[in-house]
Amino acid sequence: MAIKKQYLKSKPICKVTFSLEAEDAEKVALVGCFNEWDSKDVPLKKLKNGTFKATVDLPKDQSYEFRYIVDGEYVNDTAADAYAWNDYAGTENGVITV
């Protein structure tokens, strides 16, 4: 699991690339408060090496809760900046700060 942040000088945006190693997975999606937890909004593309990857533009100077959905199951990213408890789900969400 990896998260890469690229800040743009021309805009108050950070391009965040989310990567997840899931060689045996069929389908991976990124969900979070930035896309209203919509599992169809940010599908990750499977690369030949079995890693799934997607890049999202996020407004900087904010924090966002997120998780992956791997073949229907929620998974946290070990590379998250922090974790926040979610009473609704009864578990933690990953947090990224840009």
Side-chain angles (χ1 to χ4, degrees), residues 31 37 65-68 73-77 82-95:
V31 295
W37 301 92
E65 291 187 28
F66 74 98
R67 295 191 87 186
Y68 299 106
E73 295 195 28
Y74 286 90
V75 176
N76 267 331
D77 194 322
Y83 297 94
W85 182 256
N86 180 321
D87 283 333
Y88 178 76
T91 189
E92 291 183 327
N93 291 330
V95 176

Side-chain angles (χ1 to χ4, degrees), residues 16-18 27-45 52-58 66-69:
V16 182
T17 301
F18 294 87
K27 186 177 178 182
V28 177
L30 175 67
V31 295
C33 58
F34 49 83
N35 68 356
E36 298 180 13
W37 301 92
D38 182 353
S39 63
K40 294 180 175 119
D41 189 42
V42 185
L44 277 73
K45 182 179 178 182
F52 285 80
K53 190 181 266 192
T55 301
V56 179
D57 291 350
L58 297 176
F66 74 98
R67 295 191 87 186
Y68 299 106
I69 302 177

